[in-house]
Every structure is written in C-alpha cells, then in structure tokens.
Amino acid sequence: MVDIGYLAPDLAKKYGSAPCLRDDRSELTYAELADRVEAVAAQLASRGIGRGDVIAIMLPNRVELVTAIMAAWRLGAAATPINPMFTANEADYQIMDSGAQLVVTSGLGAPNGGRAVLCVDDLAVAPPSVPLPDVAVAEEDLALLIYTSGSTGTPKGVILTHANLQFMASSMGRSIGITGADHCLLVLPLFHVNAICVSVLAPLIVGGQVSITGKFSVSRFFDDVARLRPTYFSAVPAIYAMLTSQSEGATLDTASLRLGVCGAAPISKELLERAEERFGFVIVEGYGLTEGTCASACNPYDGIRKLGTVGPALPGQEIAILADDGTLAQRGVAGEVIIKGANVMRGYLNRPEETAKTVVDGWLHTGDVGFLDEDGYLTLVDRIKDMIIRGGENIYPKEIENSLATHPSVLEAAVIGAPHQVYGEVPVAYVVAYPDSPVTENELLEHVTALLTRVKLPVAIYVVDALPRNPVGKIDKPGMRRALSVEPAR
C-alpha cells in the first residue's frame, strides 16, 4: 500500500501504542484505531464498497465518524461527510449528487437518499480474521467530497484528493509548529474540511493526540480544557466571541493551551487582542476556502504576527492579487485574491464549467477582495459579492464592521446592503454587544461617524442578541439580505 501518511495502517506502524483519538465513549491508541478502521473497512467491503466508490457519513462528531472516513480510504474509496442537522431534503441532495452507494447514519430513521444504510451502532470493532487485501491508494485518488454551504446557490461538491489533504495537513502543521507532543481539542464540525485537516490529520501525521468534544458549549469547552489538557484547538470567530464574553470573575484554567487557530470567517483585531489577553495563549488567524483544502494563509506561530491581517501564504502556496484589468496588482493595491498550490481542488463534482471559471491556469479565484503588504501579509477587504453599491459608490461592509469593532462594547458586527428606492443599496448594521457592556444604536452611530465618510455610514444600526450563522459558523449574510429584501430600506 502506498504511504499516504495518514492512512490508519501506516500510522499504527509509526506510533503503535501511543494515545491517538478519543471522545466521550472511546479512547484509542494508534494501533487500536487501525484495528477499528480495518473492522469497518471489512464491513464496507462486504457491502460492495471498493476502489473509486463514495460513502456518505451523517454523524455528529464522534470517533466513529473518523474511523468510517479512514475505512473508506483503506479500500481506495472516498467519503462525503454530511451535516447531521440537515433536513431530509438537504441530506438526500448531497447523497444523490455525490453518487454515494452507502450511508453511515445514527439510525434507520435518518435520511439515506434511497441508498443502503449502515447504522453507527452496528459498526464492527474487531478486525476480520482474514486480513483485507492491500489496496494501492494513490495520491491523486479522490479522498473527500466536501460540499460548499450553498449560500449562493445549489451546494457544490468540492473534489479533494489525498494529495490535497496530505499537503494541507503537513503545510498547516509546519506553520503552527505541531509536533507529537501536541494534543488537539476538536470543537469544529467534522463535515467541514478545516476540522479534518487542521484538527485531525495535522496532529496524527506527527504522532499527536485528538480529543473530540461533543456539541460545543462554553462551559463544556472550559471543562474539557481543564480535564484533558489539550495544547491547541481550531475555532471560528463566533466561538472566540462566546469564550471571551465570559464573566471577568470566572476562574478559567487554560494553562495547557499554547495556541488557538481562528479561521472560516474574518475576526476583528480587537476581539483577537481581548481573547489573547484574557486567556494567555497565542491566537493565529488564517484564511482559506474549501476549494483550497481549507487554508492558504496564516499568521505564523513563531514569527511576526500582524493582527488585522491573515498572514502570509502557507508553505508551498502562492497568493497574488488580480487587478480589474486582469493583471497582477502591485503590493498595497486591492483586487481579487487568487491562490496557487498543491492545495487547490481538483474541481467541482460534475460541474466542468464552474470549475473552469474558478480555477484558471492553476490559480484558484476566491471571490475575495484583499491586498498584500510589503512582507506578503494578506489583508482581506471583503467578499466581491458582499460589496454594497450606494448610488454608484462602492462600499465594503468589512470597513464599516471594522470601525464598529473599535467600540469597546462591540463583540461582533455584520453589515449588509439593504434595497433602497433611490440609491439602489444602503448599508445596514447589526451589532452584538458584550454581555457586561450595553450600548445604544445612537452611541454606535456617533462612534462610526467620526471614523467613516458620510456615504459609508449605516442608515440603521440594530443591537441584537446574536447574528444568524450557517452550518460552519459563518455569519449568514445571504440569509440576512433575503430577509431585508422583503421590505426595502427608506
């Protein structure tokens, strides 16, 4: 069998009895993980799953989700993890679009798209008496089909190969200094490639540990950190906002943590600074897309960190800025962020035209606007599609959000364009305040009036309890825009 680097048999040969993977039900060494994977692989093989096939896995975060993915890889097959909170309609779409032949689920009542079902409680734990034949897994074989959130249309299956995953796990691991001494507390959902690469594969390929937490809650997080003593975790800005909003008088033991990784959505410089000061560990902000196997830039753990940027390109990747005229922009000039490297997806499943528009001459076109400074650190300006055009003036919501974030009471802010009968669009802001720092709309408007030109000022600022989010934790701006479009702003 080809040494991919993270296949269960290869890991067992390297790390044997070292602690590997745990959740609330199980605790496995590397050798025990390999046995579990072999057991499930034999089950899948008995049901006709083999090289080139796809299985769907619709489970909450637990050890069996990882073993099922690795069992598919053991057979030369691929996996498509599905959000366990999906409706039957959403799940059936992904199952059928991916061509999955079998679905691993929590129970027989779960969606299955009319495919064969293997219940998680029926997964084998003992390897077969007759060993499975070796399968020559190649780096260019399909490993994962990760579906985009579908916020701009029908979800698309992103084709990620073993080469993509292997490159990302090692590249990200080098950037944040992961070694065999590290222990990751996995809090993000495993239907997203960030969790699979940064929280599972990156530590496992160097002999580290992974602890899978249950459904995230703030109290559970701090209890797990105190009990399990992890050294790092990866999370989205919403989680850092929730952690930071805890009472200043609370006793929180985070001494074991050396690092937090933040990605999936922009985070304000102010929130980063507040979180680092509160908890005493380094937080590195990164940036990437599912189409780029989750990460393309990250502030280095050991090196110069520039808060407000998402850092330089990760090892082995290139980041450039595409100007409006199609040429590469100079440093300091904003344009579309494009990415090249071994992390770039093979394409969208069965969507050659969309693939050709997104990956051009090896460059992944992100749809994000940003600029590079003299050191190659990337600052994101906004999403191209999020830009507000107010009476012919281009307005980037992130600039307004950044201005709101400088107010000491602001925990989070989201700005979207609302329809307007005269100007076409106008900015509207939604703000979540820290629990101990109430603030009024008028106070916030007065604050940003001193920081922004008049055309960029929100026509309304609403203080809300929470911002709506999609399944991977990003603020659901498309949904917010749809809600506002029902009643245009005046």
Side-chain angles (χ1 to χ4, degrees), residues 15-100:
Y15 307 118
S17 61
C20 176
L21 186 67
R22 68 176 60 80
D23 63 11
D24 292 339
R25 306 170 188 83
S26 307
E27 186 164 348
L28 304 176
T29 66
Y30 280 87
E32 289 167 340
L33 173 64
D35 284 345
R36 289 281 187 97
V37 168
E38 197 75 3
V40 177
Q43 267 187 306
L44 296 177
S46 71
R47 295 178 178 232
I49 302 299
R51 185 176 180 83
D53 292 331
V54 176
I55 69 165
I57 306 169
M58 189 173 179
L59 295 174
N61 279 13
R62 55 189 295 177
V63 160
E64 288 82 1
L65 202 165
V66 177
T67 58
I69 291 175
M70 289 188 164
W73 293 345
R74 170 68 176 86
L75 299 172
T80 184
I82 300 175
N83 183 349
M85 300 304 293
F86 269 2
T87 64
N89 182 61
E90 292 168 319
D92 287 349
Y93 168 82
Q94 184 172 334
I95 292 165
M96 291 184 285
D97 187 76
S98 66

Side-chain angles (χ1 to χ4, degrees), residues 47 53 77 84 108 121 149 201 228 241 251 314 404 423 474:
R47 295 178 178 232
D53 292 331
L108 296 178
D121 292 335
S149 61
L201 298 184
L228 297 169
T251 301
L314 285 170
L404 286 164
Y423 297 114
K474 295 181 181 180

Side-chain angles (χ1 to χ4, degrees), residues 19 28 77 126 174 245 335 352 375 380 387 395 402 434 459:
L28 304 176
R174 291 198 304 273
S245 65
D375 299 316
L380 295 175
M387 185 175 69
I395 300 171
N402 288 344
Y434 282 100
V459 299

Side-chain angles (χ1 to χ4, degrees), residues 131-153:
L132 291 170
D134 285 348
V135 177
V137 180
E139 288 188 343
E140 290 308 316
D141 286 348
L142 171 64
L144 290 175
L145 280 172
I146 303 291
Y147 276 71
T148 57
S149 61
S151 59
T152 58

Side-chain angles (χ1 to χ4, degrees), residues 232-450:
Y232 84 98
F233 69 102
S234 179
V236 296
I239 288 178
Y240 287 101
M242 287 187 279
L243 298 179
T244 307
S245 65
Q246 296 307 289
S247 168
E248 291 291 339
T251 301
L252 306 173
D253 180 4
T254 57
S256 69
L257 290 169
R258 69 173 181 87
L259 173 70
V261 181
C262 185
I267 186 171
S268 71
K269 176 175 178 287
E270 289 75 18
L271 179 53
L272 273 176
E273 289 174 336
R274 182 163 177 160
E276 285 196 348
E277 181 180 352
R278 178 76 190 276
F279 303 121
F281 54 81
V282 170
I283 301 174
V284 294
E285 184 181 5
Y287 160 76
L289 284 72
T290 301
E291 291 87 341
T293 322
C294 97
S296 290
C298 189
N299 272 286
Y301 175 69
D302 289 318
I304 297 173
R305 288 185 298 132
K306 298 185 180 183
L307 299 189
T309 79
V310 291
L314 285 170
Q317 298 190 49
E318 296 178 65
I319 295 177
I321 305 299
L322 195 65
D324 291 340
D325 62 3
T327 63
L328 297 184
Q330 299 294 315
R331 296 294 171 97
V333 177
E336 184 181 10
V337 179
I338 56 176
I339 294 163
K340 180 181 281 188
N343 60 303
V344 174
M345 67 173 180
R346 197 166 75 194
Y348 294 118
L349 182 67
N350 299 325
R351 295 172 184 256
E353 292 184 1
E354 291 190 56
T355 298
K357 291 177 183 177
T358 305
V359 182
V360 182
D361 296 328
W363 288 97
L364 174 62
H365 289 241
T366 67
D368 290 314
V369 179
F371 62 88
L372 296 169
D373 69 11
E374 65 279 2
D375 299 316
Y377 283 59
L378 175 64
T379 296
L380 295 175
V381 177
D382 224 317
R383 290 286 294 168
I384 290 174
K385 68 176 184 292
D386 284 347
M387 185 175 69
I388 300 167
I389 303 177
R390 178 177 184 169
E393 293 279 348
N394 292 347
I395 300 171
Y396 288 109
K398 193 168 188 291
E399 183 180 3
I400 305 173
E401 292 163 0
N402 288 344
S403 297
L404 286 164
T406 62
H407 191 286
S409 294
V410 173
L411 176 60
E412 290 187 289
V415 174
I416 58 174
H420 192 277
Q421 294 175 348
V422 176
Y423 297 114
E425 287 182 301
V426 290
V428 173
Y430 295 83
V431 168
V432 178
Y434 282 100
D436 56 350
S437 301
V439 67
T440 67
E441 289 87 346
N442 286 338
E443 288 172 333
L444 293 172
L445 183 59
E446 182 178 349
H447 178 76
V448 294
T449 297

